[in-house]
Amino acid sequence: MKQMTYAEAIRDGMRVEMQRDPNVYLAGEDVAQFGGCFGVTAGLYDEFGPKRVMNTPISEAAIVGHGVGAAAAGLRPIVEIMFVDFMGCCMDELFNQAAKMRYMFGGKAKVPMVVRTPCGAGMGAAAQHSQCIESWFTHIPGVKTVMPGTPADAKGLMAAAVRDDNPVMYIEHKQLLGVPGEVPEGEYVVPLGKADIKREGSDITIVTWSWMLQKTLAAAEELAKKGISVEIVDPRTLVPLDKDAILKSVSKTGKLLIVHEEVITSGFGGEIAAIVGEEGFDYLDAPIKRLAAPFTPIPFAPILESAFIPSEDKIIAAVESMF
Amino acid sequence: MKQMTYAEAIRDGMRVEMQRDPNVYLAGEDVAQFGGCFGVTAGLYDEFGPKRVMNTPISEAAIVGHGVGAAAAGLRPIVEIMFVDFMGCCMDELFNQAAKMRYMFGGKAKVPMVVRTPCGAGMGAAAQHSQCIESWFTHIPGVKTVMPGTPADAKGLMAAAVRDDNPVMYIEHKQLLGVPGEVPEGEYVVPLGKADIKREGSDITIVTWSWMLQKTLAAAEELAKKGISVEIVDPRTLVPLDKDAILKSVSKTGKLLIVHEEVITSGFGGEIAAIVGEEGFDYLDAPIKRLAAPFTPIPFAPILESAFIPSEDKIIAAVESMF
Amino acid sequence: MDLNKEQLLDMYKKMATIRAFESKAVELFAAGQIPGFVHLYLGEEAVASGVCACLSDKDYITSTHRGHGHLIAKGGNIKMMMAELFGRSTGYCRGKGGSMHIADVDLGILGANGIVGAGMPIATGAGFACKYKDTDAVSIAFFGDGASDRATFHESLNMASIWKLPVVFICENNGWAISNSQETHQNITDISDRASSYGFPGVSVDGNDVVAVYEATQAAVARARQGDGPTLVECKTWRWRGHFEGDPGAYKDPKDQADWLTKDPIPRLEKNLIKLKYATQAELDAIKAGVEAEIAEAIKFAEESPVPDPKELFTDVYAD
Amino acid sequence: MDLNKEQLLDMYKKMATIRAFESKAVELFAAGQIPGFVHLYLGEEAVASGVCACLSDKDYITSTHRGHGHLIAKGGNIKMMMAELFGRSTGYCRGKGGSMHIADVDLGILGANGIVGAGMPIATGAGFACKYKDTDAVSIAFFGDGASDRATFHESLNMASIWKLPVVFICENNGWAISNSQETHQNITDISDRASSYGFPGVSVDGNDVVAVYEATQAAVARARQGDGPTLVECKTWRWRGHFEGDPGAYKDPKDQADWLTKDPIPRLEKNLIKLKYATQAELDAIKAGVEAEIAEAIKFAEESPVPDPKELFTDVYAD
Ligand SMILES: Cc1ncc(C[n+]2csc(CCOP(=O)(O)OP(=O)(O)O)c2C)c(N)n1
Ligand SMILES: Cc1ncc(C[n+]2csc(CCOP(=O)(O)OP(=O)(O)O)c2C)c(N)n1
Ligand SMILES: [Mg+2]
Ligand SMILES: [Mg+2]
C-alpha cells in the first residue's frame, strides 16, 4: 500500500491500464502537457507521448462522439469532459450513440469507452461549474455510472471502467482530488456493481457516495459519540447498483437515510428509496429519508454555496430526526 | 365544448395564445407550410404568416438557444424539437442557459420559452425516436415539465405554458395525437402544478400521466369489474408537482402504484415513491410499487416493442399483486 | 477514367440492386409489411455506389437514416437487411434496430443512424482508430445537406483536420431536408466550400454520375491513405421520394422533380457501358433480372423468418 | 477615421477602466478576496471598447467567461461588478452569479457565460427579437478563438444568416484556448474566413487597435441595422495572463509574450490622441488617475457590502 491523493490514484489507475493495453488512450481538452484543468493527467503525456495523450479542440460532441467510433473500431478511449456540467454539449453522443449502439445492432458492437469528468460544488465556481447530475446517466440503459469516494476506489474503479466493454461515466469529485489515502500499487481492480461497507453500524443505514461519503464518515464519528451507531453503505457504482448490499444493511438497522449532493428532485436517492421502499418495506421501522441539495441552481457566494451543500451538521440532524 | 383530437387541442392552444399575444411565435424544423412532422402545427403558417411561424435548419442547439435569447429579449417563443429523443443535442441550452439564467442573474431576467416536443413508443420508430426521458427535465431547477394526457389538458396546459414566465418543457405523446375528447373553446387555461383526479376510487391510488393515463383508465374499468376500485391521479405537470393531491389520495386508499413509460431506473416514479414513502409512510398498508418500462433501449420489432411498453394487462396484474 | 469494365459493371449491379431493393420497399411499406419509418434512397444510387467502389471491408463507413443504399454498396447482405426491415430475428440486428439502425461491424459498417449528423463524429473516431493502429484504412461519413448545418458537422471536420485523420466526408446534397430546400436552410450553393473553414480540400461533383463520384472519392481516399488528412466531397443529387414513405413531398416543384427524373443515374451509366462496349442492353437487362430475383428471395427469406423471442427485449443492453 | 475627440477619449477611458479593474482583480484574487474562477481581459481592452463604442443601451451583447471588459465597455456599473466578484448582496447578481455570470439586462447585457460558445445562440435569439419587433437594434456575440470550434458557432452563424438577423459575431482571437494555441486547435489562420460557410462577410482586424476594431464593427453594425444580416469580425489580440488567475501560462513562449506586451493597445491609443492633439499626456494621466479612484471606490463599496442572506439560496429559481 502507498499513500496517494485521490487525483494521484486516478492517474495511477489510468497509467497502469495504459501500460497494460496499448489500445487505451486519453483525449480531452488540455489533458496533454498542461495535465488537465485539475492536474489529474499530469505526466501522462511525458510518459506515453502525443499518440496516446491528445489535446482536443473545444468540441464536446466530437470528443465523446469520436470516442464512440474509436471504441467501436477496437480502441479503448478514455475521454475527458472538463466538467460534468458540460455533458449537456454531448448528451446525444452518450445516450443515443454510445449507450444504444450495441443493443440497436443486435449485440454485434461494443463501445468500451470511459468518459472521465469531475463533478461537484465547494469551490465557488457557481451554477455552470459545480453540478452533480449522476441520476441523468443512471437513466440511460447501456451506460454504467461510477462515483469513487476514496483514493483506493478511484484507482480500482478506473481499472474496472477501462476494462469494461461498455460506455462508463467515471465521475470524480473536485473536492476529493486532494484527499489522501492508502492505495494498492500496480494492478488493482474494484469490480463495478459491488458496494462497500465503509463503516459498520447497527442503528441506521446511510447510503451515500462521492464527496458526501467523506462528510458522512465524519458525521458518523460525531453520532457515535451521541450513541448512534451508523452503517455506511457506499454503492461506488450507481449502475450497476448493489441492491442486495443496501437491503441487507437496512434489514439489520431498520432505518435508511440517503445522502447525495445532487439536487433532491429526481436525484438518484429517489431510485434507492423506491427500491428499498418496495423490496425492503418490512425491514423499515421509520420512513426512508433523503438528505440532498435543495432544488435550486448552485449560487456563487460562499455563504450561499455552503447553504446549498449537504453538510456534516445537516447529516447529523437528519439522522437524529429519525430516532 | 367541442370534440377535438389531442393534436388539434395542442394546435388550438397555440393558436389562441398567438392571437392573444403578438410576441408568441413558433420556430422549429418543418413547422411552417409542412405543418410539422406529425401535422400538429398545420394551418398556423397560413393563419399567422412567415414572421410568426418559422422553419429552422437542423440545428437543435440554435433552435433552443435562440429561443433563450429571444425570450430574454422580450418574446415568448414556442420552439419545437421534433422528437424528445433529440434533446441530447440541446441539453446545454436548456439546463445551463434557459433554466439558470434568472437565478444566476439575481432574478433580473426571465426566460418565457416553451419547448414543445413529442415523446413515446408505439410506432416502431426504434431506440432513437421512441423515448420518454421526462425525469431528466424534472432534475433541472428552473425548468417546468408538462405532460398532458387528454385533449382538454393538452390545450389548457399549452396556454399555461405559454403564459408562464419560465422555460417549460411541454411534452406531448405521439400515441395520443389522434385521441379525441371534449375541449373548451376559446381561452382555456389549466394551471401548472395542479393534479387532476381522472377517476375516483377507494382501494388503490395509481399516479400516472401522458399515454399511460389512457391505458390506466382502461385497466381501471377492467379492475372495477373485478371489484377493485382504482383512483387515478394525473399530476399533469411533474414540476411543479401537486404532492398534496397524491398524498391525499394515498391517505384514502392506503396503496400506491406509479405507472410510467420511462425506463424504471431513475424514472420520475422513483421521485414520487420517495416523497410518498417519506411523507405518507403512515398511510401505506402495502409497499409502493412502480410499473414502468424495463431498463433497456427501445427495440424495433413490434413484438419486442410491445413487450417494452407497460400494457393494460401489466397494469391489471400489478394492481392485483397488491391485494 | 481509371475504371475498368469489371469495376463499372460491379457499380452498375450495386446501383441496380439498390434501385430494386428500394422499389420493393415502397410496395412493402404501402402494404404495411414494414413497421416504423422508412427513408428511401431512390435516385441517389450513384453516390453510395461510386463511393463504396473505392473501399474495402477494412474501411469504415457511417450511414444515415437513409441508409439502405450505403449498406448495399458496402457489401451488406440483402437477406439480412430485408429481414431487419421486417423486424425478424434473422435480420442484421435480430429485429432490434430496423431500417434506421442496420449495421455490419465486420464489414466496417458502423450503422445507419436515426440522429441526423451523428455519424460524423463516429466516422471521425473510426478514422482515428485506423491511424492509431497504423493501418492504411480510411473512414467515410455519409450525411445530407441538412446534416451539414448540425453541430457535429463543424466539430467533426475541425477535429479530423487538426488530427489529420483518414476520413472522407461525403455530403449527399439531395436538395432537401424534409420539406426544406437547400436554399432555405443554408445561404450557400456548394456545401464543399465549407471545407475551407477547416483547412482541407472540398470538391463538388454530379452525384448522379457514378464515375464522377468514384473519381472524386478515389482521390480523397488516396489522400487519406497517404496520411494527408480529410476531404469533403459534395455529391449533388435529388431525393426522388418524399422524405419518408407516407410523405407525398407536395412541397416539391413538379417541374424540378420531372427534370431530375430525367437525370436518372442508372440509364446514364447504361449508355456509358454500351458506348464503351462493356455490355449490351441485353446483358444489362439480365443483370437487372438477376437482381430482381435476389430481392424476391430476400423478401421470401424475411417473410419466412421468425419474429424475435420476446426474451430478446432484455439481451445485449450491456456487453459482459 | 470618422471618430471625433469625444468618442476617442471615451474609448480611452473605457480601456483605462478595464485595465485598472483587471489589474486590481489580479491583486484581489491573489489576496483571496475573490472566490471561484477569474478570467482576465488584460491586453484585450481595445476589442470590447472598440465594439461597444458602436452600440447603445438598446443593443444587446452576450459575453463570455472572460467578460469584465465587455461589461465595462457596454456601460456596466463598476461598483455592482466588483461587489459581484466579491459575492456580495449589492452585486449585479446579488452574489449569486460571480465573475462568470454578471449581467445587466436593462443595458442589453445578456450575461457573461461559463459555457464556452453558449452566448452565440443567445445573441442570435436577441437579434431575432430586435428584428421581430421592427427595431433597428442589433445583437453582438463576443466569443473566443477556442469557441469558434464549438457546435454553437456553426449553428448560430448559419441560422443568423438564413434569417438575415442583425447580429454581429465578434471573435476575440487571443491566440489561446487555455493551453492550446490557435494553430493546435484549428487549421486556419483567419477565423473570419469561416463566414464564407454561411454566405455573409467576415473580416479580420488588429484587435489591439481600437480604431480598427471600431471601424470594422461600425460597418458590420450599419449592415445589420439596415437589414442586410450578420457579419463575422475577428479581432486578433493576445491574452496577457494565464487562462485564469492561478494559471502561470507556462506554455506560452516568453518571446511571443514579450512581443505582444509591446503591442499594448493603451499607449498605442495615447500616442494617437496626443498626435491628434485631442489630449496631452497630463490629461490622459488625469483620466487614469480618475479611473483608479473609481476602482478604489468600487472595491471599498464591495468590501463594505453585506454578504447575501442565506435565504437568498431559495429565491429566483422561478419567476412567478
Ligand atoms: C438531430 C436530429 N434532428 C432532426 C431529426 C429529424 N430528421 C430526420 S431526417 C431529417 C432531414 C435530414 O436532411 P438531410 O440531412 O439533408 O438528409 P436527407 O433526408 O435529405 O437524406 C430530419 C430533420 C433527426 N433525426 N435528428
Ligand atoms: C463547453 C465548454 N467546454 C469547455 C469549457 C472549459 N473552458 C473554459 S474557457 C476555455 C477556453 C476558451 O478559449 P477561447 O474561446 O479562445 O476564450 P479565451 O479563454 O481565450 O478568452 C475552456 C476550454 C467550458 N467552459 N465550456
Ligand atoms: Mg437532404
Ligand atoms: Mg482564446
Side-chain angles (χ1 to χ4, degrees):
Chain A
M1 293 285 224
K2 197 171 157 206
Q3 277 290 113
M4 286 188 200
T5 64
Y6 182 92
E8 290 163 343
I10 297 168
R11 185 186 310 138
D12 196 43
M14 291 190 284
R15 176 188 289 115
V16 171
E17 293 309 303
M18 289 176 81
Q19 288 164 341
R20 219 179 137 255
D21 182 349
N23 287 330
V24 179
Y25 73 97
L26 240 64
E29 292 159 14
D30 305 281
V31 298
Q33 298 93 323
F34 191 66
C37 188
F38 297 103
V40 176
T41 58
L44 295 177
Y45 177 87
D46 295 336
E47 181 172 350
F48 296 99
K51 176 180 175 180
R52 298 184 65 190
V53 184
M54 319 259 308
N55 284 336
T56 64
I58 307 174
S59 302
E60 281 72 16
I63 292 169
V64 175
H66 105 277
V68 176
L75 301 183
R76 305 189 84 85
I78 303 176
V79 299
E80 175 175 322
I81 296 299
M82 198 180 279
F83 289 73
V84 76
D85 310 69
F86 308 157
M87 286 302 299
C89 303
C90 48
M91 278 304 274
D92 185 71
E93 287 64 33
L94 180 72
F95 100 109
N96 277 330
Q97 311 304 327
K100 298 176 168 58
M101 202 179 238
R102 179 178 186 79
Y103 190 86
M104 293 189 302
F105 295 179
K108 294 173 187 165
K110 55 182 182 150
V111 184
M113 170 177 67
V114 177
V115 179
R116 248 194 70 229
T117 186
C119 72
M123 60 188 297
Q128 295 172 337
H129 286 74
S130 306
Q131 300 171 84
C132 287
I133 49 175
E134 51 265 27
S135 66
W136 277 6
F137 310 121
T138 64
H139 196 45
I140 308 172
V143 170
K144 297 185 178 183
T145 301
V146 174
M147 298 198 71
T150 68
D153 287 344
K155 176 174 176 175
L157 291 168
M158 174 55 74
V162 171
R163 297 181 192 190
D164 197 275
D165 278 338
N166 301 283
V168 177
M169 287 297 301
Y170 180 98
I171 306 173
E172 49 205 57
H173 198 294
K174 301 195 248 350
Q175 296 302 315
L176 292 175
L177 293 172
V179 171
E182 295 271 294
V183 178
E185 295 181 67
E187 287 196 26
Y188 174 62
V189 181
V190 171
L192 306 184
K194 227 187 137 332
D196 185 41
I197 307 300
K198 286 289 195 302
R199 179 189 176 105
E200 301 229 346
S202 52
D203 300 332
I204 181 169
T205 299
I206 301 183
V207 174
T208 190
W209 54 90
S210 195
W211 189 30
M212 290 299 122
L213 168 65
Q214 297 296 336
K215 291 189 177 286
T216 303
L217 283 164
E221 278 302 316
E222 289 311 303
L223 287 159
K225 295 187 192 129
K226 302 180 174 207
I228 300 178
S229 165
V230 175
E231 177 147 301
I232 301 176
V233 181
D234 175 6
R236 300 194 290 196
T237 66
L238 304 186
V239 172
L241 180 68
D242 190 347
K243 210 170 70 168
D244 299 345
I246 296 169
L247 288 165
K248 184 154 168 287
S249 176
V250 175
S251 71
K252 184 172 76 175
T253 63
K255 288 187 170 57
L256 174 62
L257 171 68
I258 303 148
V259 179
H260 64 61
E261 187 178 335
E262 282 189 283
V263 298
I264 188 158
T265 307
S266 294
F268 195 68
E271 179 63 24
I272 295 173
I275 290 171
V276 176
E278 179 169 355
E279 300 180 36
F281 190 68
D282 300 336
Y283 306 147
L284 295 168
D285 57 41
I288 297 166
K289 261 186 173 272
R290 292 179 295 168
L291 174 63
F295 194 57
T296 75
I298 296 156
F300 166 69
I303 186 174
L304 297 179
E305 187 185 29
S306 31
F308 174 89
I309 301 166
S311 64
E312 195 178 316
D313 291 349
K314 286 184 194 143
I315 297 169
I316 292 169
V319 168
E320 289 178 320
S321 76
M322 292 172 73
F323 287 88
Chain B
M1 291 286 220
K2 195 170 159 205
Q3 277 289 112
M4 287 188 201
T5 65
Y6 182 93
E8 289 164 343
I10 297 168
R11 184 186 310 138
D12 196 45
M14 291 191 283
R15 176 188 289 115
V16 171
E17 293 309 303
M18 289 177 80
Q19 287 164 343
R20 213 177 143 259
D21 182 348
N23 286 329
V24 178
Y25 73 96
L26 241 64
E29 293 159 14
D30 305 280
V31 297
Q33 298 93 323
F34 191 66
C37 188
F38 298 102
V40 175
T41 57
L44 295 177
Y45 177 87
D46 295 335
E47 182 171 351
F48 296 100
K51 177 181 175 180
R52 298 184 66 191
V53 183
M54 318 258 308
N55 284 335
T56 64
I58 307 173
S59 301
E60 281 72 17
I63 292 169
V64 175
H66 106 277
V68 176
L75 301 184
R76 305 188 84 83
I78 303 175
V79 300
E80 174 175 322
I81 296 299
M82 197 180 280
F83 289 73
V84 76
D85 311 69
F86 309 157
M87 286 302 299
C89 303
C90 48
M91 277 304 274
D92 186 70
E93 287 64 34
L94 180 72
F95 101 108
N96 276 330
Q97 311 303 328
K100 296 175 169 58
M101 202 180 236
R102 180 178 186 79
Y103 190 86
M104 293 189 301
F105 296 178
K108 293 172 187 164
K110 54 182 182 150
V111 184
M113 170 176 67
V114 177
V115 179
R116 247 195 70 229
T117 187
C119 71
M123 60 188 296
Q128 296 173 337
H129 287 75
S130 307
Q131 299 171 83
C132 287
I133 49 174
E134 51 264 26
S135 67
W136 277 6
F137 310 122
T138 64
H139 195 45
I140 308 171
V143 170
K144 298 184 178 182
T145 301
V146 173
M147 297 198 72
T150 68
D153 287 345
K155 176 174 177 175
L157 291 167
M158 174 56 74
V162 171
R163 297 180 192 191
D164 197 274
D165 278 338
N166 300 283
V168 177
M169 287 298 301
Y170 180 97
I171 306 173
E172 49 205 55
H173 199 294
K174 300 195 254 342
Q175 296 301 316
L176 291 175
L177 294 172
V179 171
E182 295 271 293
V183 178
E185 295 180 67
E187 287 197 26
Y188 174 60
V189 181
V190 171
L192 305 184
K194 230 190 136 326
D196 186 40
I197 307 299
K198 287 290 195 299
R199 178 187 176 107
E200 301 232 344
S202 52
D203 300 334
I204 181 170
T205 299
I206 300 182
V207 173
T208 189
W209 54 90
S210 195
W211 188 30
M212 290 298 123
L213 168 66
Q214 298 296 338
K215 291 189 177 286
T216 304
L217 284 164
E221 279 303 315
E222 290 310 304
L223 286 159
K225 296 187 193 130
K226 301 179 174 209
I228 299 178
S229 163
V230 175
E231 176 146 301
I232 300 175
V233 181
D234 175 6
R236 301 194 287 197
T237 67
L238 304 186
V239 173
L241 180 68
D242 190 347
K243 209 170 71 168
D244 299 344
I246 295 169
L247 287 166
K248 183 153 168 291
S249 177
V250 175
S251 71
K252 184 172 76 176
T253 63
K255 289 187 170 55
L256 174 61
L257 172 67
I258 302 147
V259 179
H260 63 61
E261 187 178 336
E262 283 189 282
V263 298
I264 188 158
T265 306
S266 294
F268 195 68
E271 179 62 24
I272 295 173
I275 290 170
V276 175
E278 178 168 355
E279 301 180 36
F281 190 68
D282 301 336
Y283 307 147
L284 295 168
D285 56 41
I288 298 167
K289 265 188 171 268
R290 293 180 293 168
L291 175 63
F295 194 56
T296 75
I298 296 156
F300 166 69
I303 186 173
L304 297 179
E305 187 185 30
S306 30
F308 174 89
I309 300 166
S311 63
E312 196 178 317
D313 291 349
K314 285 184 192 145
I315 297 169
I316 292 169
V319 168
E320 288 179 321
S321 76
M322 292 172 74
F323 287 88
Chain C
M1 179 185 75
D2 63 347
L3 281 163
N4 60 35
K5 172 179 174 180
E6 189 190 354
Q7 290 173 301
L8 274 180
L9 283 172
D10 186 60
M11 287 186 193
Y12 177 76
K13 183 170 186 215
K14 287 274 166 59
M15 288 167 68
T17 307
I18 297 169
R19 176 67 53 92
F21 187 96
E22 298 294 64
S23 305
K24 277 296 172 194
V26 171
E27 298 167 21
L28 292 164
F29 184 87
Q33 282 184 271
I34 302 177
F37 290 110
V38 180
H39 307 79
L40 299 181
Y41 202 66
L42 288 166
E44 308 183 32
E45 296 87 351
V47 179
S49 305
V51 168
C52 293
C54 306
L55 308 178
S56 82
D57 289 359
K58 65 180 177 15
D59 298 313
Y60 291 96
I61 70 166
T62 59
S63 174
T64 69
H65 55 286
R66 199 175 302 286
H68 304 166
H70 310 135
L71 272 281
I72 292 171
K74 188 75 164 58
N77 176 307
I78 285 160
K79 286 183 172 172
M80 292 171 78
M81 283 179 64
M82 193 60 82
E84 191 57 37
L85 295 196
F86 276 69
R88 303 302 167 93
S89 62
T90 53
Y92 256 121
C93 312
R94 314 172 62 92
K96 289 159 105 165
S99 169
M100 282 195 288
H101 303 296
I102 304 181
D104 186 335
V105 177
D106 299 332
L107 288 178
I109 301 166
L110 295 181
N113 209 308
I115 302 299
V116 167
M120 288 180 273
I122 295 170
T124 300
F128 177 87
C130 296
K131 181 175 180 176
Y132 188 94
K133 295 176 175 172
D134 298 314
T135 70
D136 75 340
V138 303
S139 178
I140 304 281
F142 287 101
F143 60 97
D145 51 296
S148 74
D149 298 333
R150 268 217 67 220
T152 48
F153 171 88
H154 185 61
E155 295 193 354
S156 302
L157 272 69
N158 189 63
M159 180 178 277
S161 178
I162 59 167
W163 287 353
K164 249 182 186 257
L165 300 180
V167 183
V168 180
F169 295 93
I170 303 288
C171 183
E172 304 182 299
N173 181 355
N174 61 9
W176 296 95
I178 304 189
S179 69
N180 297 288
S181 61
Q182 188 200 348
E183 57 277 18
T184 63
H185 70 72
Q186 53 191 205
N187 248 342
I188 54 171
T189 308
D190 294 332
I191 296 171
S192 58
D193 290 347
R194 288 186 168 177
S196 64
S197 287
Y198 314 104
F200 61 74
V203 52
S204 294
V205 299
D206 178 348
N208 284 21
D209 176 353
V210 70
V211 174
V213 171
Y214 171 84
E215 286 172 340
T217 308
Q218 190 60 287
V221 165
R223 224 179 141 260
R225 295 203 199 279
Q226 284 157 33
D228 295 337
T231 305
L232 171 58
V233 178
E234 176 191 18
C235 304
K236 295 182 190 281
T237 180
W238 184 260
R239 195 192 73 208
W240 278 13
R241 306 284 301 170
H243 171 65
F244 39 47
E245 288 310 284
D247 166 23
Y251 41 82
K252 288 193 214 169
D253 179 333
K255 200 187 147 311
D256 297 340
Q257 174 78 2
D259 288 352
W260 275 97
L261 287 175
T262 64
K263 301 183 192 154
D264 187 336
I266 291 181
R268 195 159 155 182
L269 176 57
E270 289 184 345
K271 274 199 208 63
N272 204 338
L273 285 162
I274 292 165
K275 197 170 95 271
L276 290 162
K277 302 236 182 318
Y278 284 174
T280 64
Q281 186 63 55
E283 286 165 333
L284 297 177
D285 293 344
I287 292 174
K288 283 194 270 190
V291 160
E292 300 282 354
E294 271 184 58
I295 304 292
E297 239 183 84
I299 293 170
K300 187 158 176 298
F301 172 78
E303 284 169 340
E304 291 172 355
S305 294
V307 299
D309 179 327
K311 286 194 219 64
E312 289 257 326
L313 169 62
F314 303 99
T315 57
D316 292 320
V317 178
Y318 291 94
D320 34 41
Chain D
M1 181 186 71
D2 64 345
L3 281 162
N4 61 34
K5 172 180 174 180
E6 188 190 357
Q7 290 172 300
L8 274 179
L9 284 171
D10 186 60
M11 286 186 197
Y12 177 77
K13 184 170 184 215
K14 288 275 165 59
M15 289 166 69
T17 307
I18 297 168
R19 176 67 53 91
F21 187 96
E22 298 294 66
S23 305
K24 276 296 173 194
V26 171
E27 298 168 22
L28 293 163
F29 184 88
Q33 283 184 270
I34 303 177
F37 290 110
V38 180
H39 308 79
L40 299 181
Y41 203 66
L42 288 166
E44 308 183 33
E45 296 87 350
V47 180
S49 305
V51 168
C52 292
C54 306
L55 308 177
S56 83
D57 290 358
K58 64 176 177 22
D59 298 313
Y60 291 96
I61 70 166
T62 58
S63 175
T64 69
H65 56 285
R66 198 175 301 288
H68 304 166
H70 309 137
L71 271 281
I72 291 170
K74 188 73 163 61
N77 176 305
I78 287 160
K79 286 183 171 170
M80 292 171 79
M81 283 179 64
M82 192 63 80
E84 190 58 37
L85 296 195
F86 277 68
R88 303 303 167 94
S89 62
T90 54
Y92 256 121
C93 313
R94 315 172 62 91
K96 288 159 104 162
S99 170
M100 280 194 289
H101 303 296
I102 304 181
D104 186 334
V105 176
D106 299 332
L107 288 178
I109 301 166
L110 296 181
N113 210 308
I115 302 298
V116 166
M120 288 180 272
I122 295 170
T124 300
F128 177 86
C130 296
K131 181 175 180 176
Y132 188 95
K133 294 176 175 171
D134 298 315
T135 70
D136 75 340
V138 302
S139 180
I140 304 281
F142 287 101
F143 61 96
D145 51 297
S148 74
D149 298 334
R150 268 215 67 218
T152 48
F153 171 89
H154 185 61
E155 295 193 353
S156 301
L157 273 69
N158 189 62
M159 181 178 277
S161 179
I162 58 167
W163 286 353
K164 252 186 184 250
L165 300 181
V167 183
V168 180
F169 294 93
I170 303 288
C171 183
E172 306 182 299
N173 181 355
N174 62 8
W176 296 95
I178 305 189
S179 69
N180 297 288
S181 61
Q182 188 200 347
E183 57 276 21
T184 64
H185 70 72
Q186 52 191 207
N187 250 341
I188 54 171
T189 308
D190 294 332
I191 295 171
S192 58
D193 290 347
R194 287 185 168 177
S196 63
S197 287
Y198 314 104
F200 60 75
V203 51
S204 294
V205 299
D206 177 348
N208 284 21
D209 176 352
V210 70
V211 174
V213 171
Y214 170 84
E215 288 173 339
T217 308
Q218 191 60 285
V221 166
R223 229 181 135 259
R225 295 202 200 281
Q226 285 157 33
D228 296 336
T231 305
L232 171 59
V233 178
E234 176 190 19
C235 305
K236 294 181 190 282
T237 180
W238 184 261
R239 196 191 74 206
W240 278 12
R241 304 285 301 171
H243 172 64
F244 40 45
E245 288 309 284
D247 166 23
Y251 41 82
K252 287 192 215 170
D253 180 333
K255 197 187 151 311
D256 298 339
Q257 174 78 0
D259 288 352
W260 275 98
L261 287 174
T262 65
K263 302 184 191 156
D264 187 337
I266 291 180
R268 194 160 158 183
L269 177 57
E270 289 185 344
K271 276 200 208 62
N272 203 339
L273 286 163
I274 291 165
K275 196 170 94 269
L276 290 161
K277 303 236 177 328
Y278 284 174
T280 63
Q281 187 63 54
E283 287 166 331
L284 296 177
D285 294 343
I287 292 174
K288 282 195 270 191
V291 161
E292 300 282 354
E294 270 183 59
I295 304 294
E297 237 183 86
I299 294 170
K300 188 159 175 299
F301 173 77
E303 284 170 342
E304 292 172 356
S305 293
V307 298
D309 179 325
K311 285 194 218 63
E312 291 257 326
L313 168 61
F314 302 100
T315 57
D316 292 321
V317 178
Y318 291 94
D320 35 40

